[in-house]
Amino acid sequence: MGIADDAVEIRAHGWRTLAALHALIENALERVLQGEHGLSVVEYTVLDALARQDGRHMRMRRLARAAALSNSAATRLVTRLEDRGLLTRVLCADDRRGIYTELAPAGLELLERARPTHDRVLREALAEAGGTPELAPLVGALRGLEPRPLP
Amino acid sequence: MGIADDAVEIRAHGWRTLAALHALIENALERVLQGEHGLSVVEYTVLDALARQDGRHMRMRRLARAAALSNSAATRLVTRLEDRGLLTRVLCADDRRGIYTELAPAGLELLERARPTHDRVLREALAEAGGTPELAPLVGALRGLEPRPLP
DNA sequence: GATTTTCCGTTGCGTGTGCAACGAGCGCAG
DNA sequence: CTGCGCTCGTTGCACACGCAACGGAAAATC
């Protein structure tokens, strides 16, 4: 049992903890967002990512990366949201291979209606995880991550 | 923009970072474990959890919780692994509703063959994430999580 | 300028998943 | 002992996903 073995075990433990916390939060979000707004977590993530983007548009490839999805999954996800009128496909002018997905007004509206729910559930899930001895340290570490590192 | 809004944004940012790192690691593990050992990440997780358990057995419900799966998914996952001879179903003596899933020798063997791969890919994925400014802080925090808190 | 290579988004296919409904077995109140 | 509520694991169903293959468009190579 050397130092190297310890490092391996620390990484494995960190990964198990990360996965457990991720599953806890995602399941909670999935349940409530689906029930109250008809949105899955990935769908919310995509709408949110689009809203944060300048011009509210994004290329498919970027969108797939942002949501950690395959190309095919991104295509169908965008199709679903487009059918619901939450976003629109816009062809690229300069690169005719590319397709922009642009957030529609209805999409922005739904997003802003769902955001308080999202934030509330996230806060509750983190609080619950903070009460679990196994997860508490990671929850604490998450608080230290600043969106914009202070100068 | 008050302190409360900052807290909300910090939580949201923490969640996005957590999700991104989780996806990065899981995709890397999935690709390699599937390619080299025919195991998905969930399957590896279940075998690993069983191996860590005293007596190498576990009830379905516990197993489902450990892998963050629904009951139905656990049932089918166990069925798949049982069909491959990696574990066996054993009926509970005291509670005839319950079913133990016990790690078979072939399962333990496959697990120990896959473990080095798992650890290597995990190390590489964390190293790669450590090079990303957005993910590096969380990777660093993960190192601070001790499997057994020192006295 | 023509040809090859690479990239982008879409589609057919197989598969793993969650939800809801179900039967079987335990435990408690009466 | 009998009925009722609850837990446990399984199954039908719909659905979202990844992979591989495809056509179209830009980039690279000659």
Side-chain angles (χ1 to χ4, degrees):
Chain A
M1 308 288 183
I3 295 179
D5 293 331
D6 284 353
V8 168
E9 190 47 43
I10 285 182
R11 278 194 294 266
H13 178 259
W15 164 237
R16 285 194 297 269
T17 308
L18 179 74
L21 181 58
H22 180 270
L24 176 71
I25 297 176
E26 181 159 59
N27 286 339
L29 282 175
E30 187 75 41
R31 210 174 325 131
V32 183
L33 280 181
Q34 192 63 257
E36 297 190 9
H37 303 280
L39 280 176
S40 70
V41 175
V42 215
E43 289 167 350
Y44 179 91
T45 302
V46 165
L47 294 182
D48 183 63
L50 276 176
R52 290 175 187 280
Q53 204 72 10
D54 289 350
R56 309 206 183 298
H57 57 70
M58 218 171 172
R59 287 185 66 141
M60 296 286 299
R61 191 82 183 112
R62 273 187 64 89
L63 189 146
R65 291 287 188 196
L69 286 176
S70 67
N71 295 344
S72 59
T75 293
R76 281 151 182 150
L77 178 56
V78 167
T79 301
R80 286 199 303 273
L81 295 178
E82 191 181 23
D83 289 345
R84 292 173 61 181
L86 302 178
L87 52 79
T88 56
R89 277 185 168 90
V90 178
L91 285 92
C92 249
D94 54 334
D95 185 348
R96 279 162 43 186
R97 292 172 300 182
I99 293 185
Y100 281 120
T101 57
E102 191 170 328
L103 191 59
L108 184 59
E109 196 180 323
L110 176 57
L111 175 65
E112 296 192 341
R113 223 179 319 143
R115 199 188 297 277
T117 304
H118 175 272
D119 294 340
R120 173 176 55 84
V121 174
L122 182 55
R123 178 168 43 80
E124 293 170 355
L126 284 174
E128 181 190 343
T132 306
E134 193 73 4
L135 300 179
L138 182 53
V139 174
L142 228 52
R143 273 199 197 87
L145 302 182
E146 292 290 332
R148 30 176 188 185
L150 300 178
Chain B
M1 307 291 181
I3 296 178
D5 292 329
D6 284 353
V8 168
E9 191 47 41
I10 285 181
R11 278 193 294 267
H13 178 258
W15 163 237
R16 284 194 298 269
T17 308
L18 179 73
L21 180 58
H22 179 270
L24 176 71
I25 297 175
E26 181 160 60
N27 286 339
L29 283 176
E30 188 74 42
R31 206 172 331 129
V32 183
L33 280 180
Q34 191 64 257
E36 297 191 8
H37 303 281
L39 280 176
S40 71
V41 175
V42 215
E43 289 167 349
Y44 179 91
T45 302
V46 164
L47 294 183
D48 183 64
L50 276 175
R52 291 175 185 280
Q53 203 72 10
D54 289 349
R56 309 207 184 296
H57 57 69
M58 219 171 172
R59 287 186 66 140
M60 296 286 299
R61 191 81 183 111
R62 273 186 64 89
L63 188 146
R65 291 289 189 194
L69 287 176
S70 67
N71 295 344
S72 59
T75 293
R76 284 156 181 146
L77 177 56
V78 167
T79 301
R80 285 198 304 273
L81 295 179
E82 191 181 25
D83 289 346
R84 292 173 61 180
L86 302 178
L87 52 78
T88 55
R89 279 185 167 91
V90 179
L91 286 92
C92 249
D94 54 333
D95 185 349
R96 279 166 37 188
R97 293 170 300 180
I99 293 185
Y100 281 120
T101 58
E102 191 171 327
L103 191 59
L108 184 59
E109 194 180 324
L110 176 57
L111 175 65
E112 295 192 342
R113 223 177 321 141
R115 198 188 298 277
T117 304
H118 175 271
D119 294 341
R120 173 177 56 84
V121 174
L122 182 55
R123 178 168 45 79
E124 293 171 354
L126 284 174
E128 181 189 342
T132 307
E134 195 72 7
L135 300 179
L138 182 54
V139 174
L142 228 52
R143 275 202 195 87
L145 302 181
E146 291 290 332
R148 35 181 184 181
L150 302 177

